[in-house]
Amino acid sequence: MDIEQRQAELIDAFVKQASTHNGSALATVILDATSHPSLFAFSEILAVPNVVELGGTENSVYLDMLRLFAHGTWSDYKSNVDRLPQLVPDQALKLKQLTVLTLAETNKVLPYDQLMQELDVTNVRELEDFLINECMYAGIVRGKLDQLRRCFEVQFAAGRDLRPGQLGCMIQTLSNWLGTSDNLLLSIQEKIKWADTMSELDKKHRKEVEERVEEVKKSFSVKADIDFRGHEEIYSEPGGVMDYEEDRSRPKSLYDE
């Protein structure tokens, strides 16, 4: 089973649980969802009416915690640790995994120093073990560990839930991309049209050259034929060139001796 299908099944299961629970029981569902080792998307759970209704109640901190896992990072948790429930080890691991995904959204080369700071990791060995065992083996990222340059080169990273306001930015980005693509397509079509025109002109020019060559050939042929006929007329005229046998049979005069 691939990661996308597994995600879809888990989301569906937790949405159904959240829809049938309230209060502290719903808080338990949120704890289970944010601790699950294979779940990395939470926006559908956030949209469940029962979850939204946690706001303003004694269990509102669990709504804030769910929002943290949907959009936040480990640094966000540290900045708001006094206002959020304490995370269990599985939740802390999950939030650090999600932090890597957030960093990979904007940068495909992540320096070790930045990763160690963002993840509260003290040494390179611990960082590389985390990236390999908890991120790459989990299937949420693919990449190359470059020990010489001390960086992680990201080749693939799973997407996170869209943050509030991010959808508009994505739509604008896609609109800009579409506009650029349309302009590029128009430019390509114009170049194809220009190439077709040049091809036709080349064919026309080639045909004109070939016709001119044929005309020159014919001109030379006619001239050669005229010259040949002229020589025939010279040699066939009476008195022009005497036949050799005729010359032998003619009596020699006294002066010929």
Side-chain angles (χ1 to χ4, degrees):
M1 182 183 299
D2 58 30
I3 187 172
E4 290 84 3
Q5 184 178 351
R6 178 60 174 159
Q7 285 280 300
E9 292 179 356
L10 288 171
I11 290 170
D12 184 59
F14 279 111
V15 166
K16 289 179 179 178
Q17 291 184 44
S19 300
T20 57
H21 290 78
N22 299 95
S24 59
L26 182 54
T28 301
V29 173
I30 293 174
L31 286 172
D32 292 341
T34 53
S35 301
H36 198 286
S38 299
L39 183 62
F40 297 93
F42 306 93
S43 59
E44 287 89 346
I45 303 173
L46 269 173
V48 174
N50 289 5
V51 175
V52 176
E53 290 173 1
L54 288 177
T57 69
E58 60 182 3
N59 293 303
S60 63
V61 291
Y62 293 97
L63 175 59
D64 295 334
M65 184 175 68
L66 187 58
R67 287 171 176 161
L68 172 69
F69 277 82
H71 311 123
T73 64
W74 181 251
S75 295
D76 294 328
Y77 170 69
K78 291 192 299 180
S79 299
N80 298 278
V81 66
D82 295 334
R83 291 180 290 173
L84 293 168
Q86 184 176 356
L87 300 184
V88 299
D90 287 342
Q91 287 178 309
L93 171 62
K94 171 65 62 64
L95 193 55
K96 290 183 178 182
Q97 290 173 312
L98 294 169
T99 298
V100 173
L101 297 184
T102 296
L103 294 173
E105 286 179 356
T106 54
N107 296 292
K108 297 308 176 185
V109 178
L110 303 177
Y112 278 3
D113 291 338
Q114 179 187 12
L115 287 168
M116 287 190 290
Q117 180 180 357
E118 293 289 338
L119 302 174
D120 271 346
V121 175
T122 57
N123 60 72
V124 171
R125 177 62 181 273
E126 183 182 355
L127 173 64
E128 290 182 339
D129 287 346
F130 172 78
L131 292 173
I132 294 171
N133 299 324
E134 308 299 346
C135 295
M136 286 193 275
Y137 283 173
I140 60 174
V141 295
R142 290 194 300 269
K144 176 184 176 183
L145 300 174
D146 191 331
Q147 295 179 332
L148 183 62
R149 296 170 56 204
R150 289 174 57 85
C151 65
F152 177 49
E153 298 179 3
V154 180
Q155 298 169 347
F156 160 81
R160 292 196 64 182
D161 295 301
L162 293 178
R163 293 181 291 276
Q166 191 176 13
L167 181 59
C169 293
M170 291 186 66
I171 293 174
Q172 184 60 49
T173 299
L174 291 174
S175 298
N176 293 339
W177 176 83
L178 181 60
T180 301
S181 299
D182 288 341
N183 291 335
L184 179 61
L185 181 60
L186 180 61
S187 177
I188 292 174
Q189 290 174 338
E190 290 176 350
K191 289 183 181 299
I192 291 174
K193 184 178 180 180
W194 176 82
D196 290 341
T197 301
M198 295 303 296
S199 177
E200 290 299 321
L201 290 175
D202 182 66
K203 289 179 181 178
K204 182 179 179 180
H205 177 68
R206 186 179 304 175
K207 183 178 180 181
E208 292 175 351
V209 170
E210 290 175 352
E211 290 176 350
R212 181 58 180 164
V213 169
E214 289 299 321
E215 291 176 0
V216 172
K217 287 181 179 179
K218 289 179 181 180
S219 175
F220 277 120
S221 177
V222 170
K223 185 175 184 303
D225 185 58
I226 292 175
D227 290 344
F228 178 74
R229 290 180 181 179
H231 282 83
E232 281 188 335
E233 291 174 358
I234 292 173
Y235 282 98
S236 62
E237 286 180 358
V241 177
M242 184 177 290
D243 185 74
Y244 174 71
E245 292 298 329
E246 180 184 352
D247 180 62
R248 288 182 59 188
S249 61
R250 183 173 61 85
K252 296 182 179 180
S253 66
L254 180 63
Y255 297 102
D256 292 329
E257 295 181 354

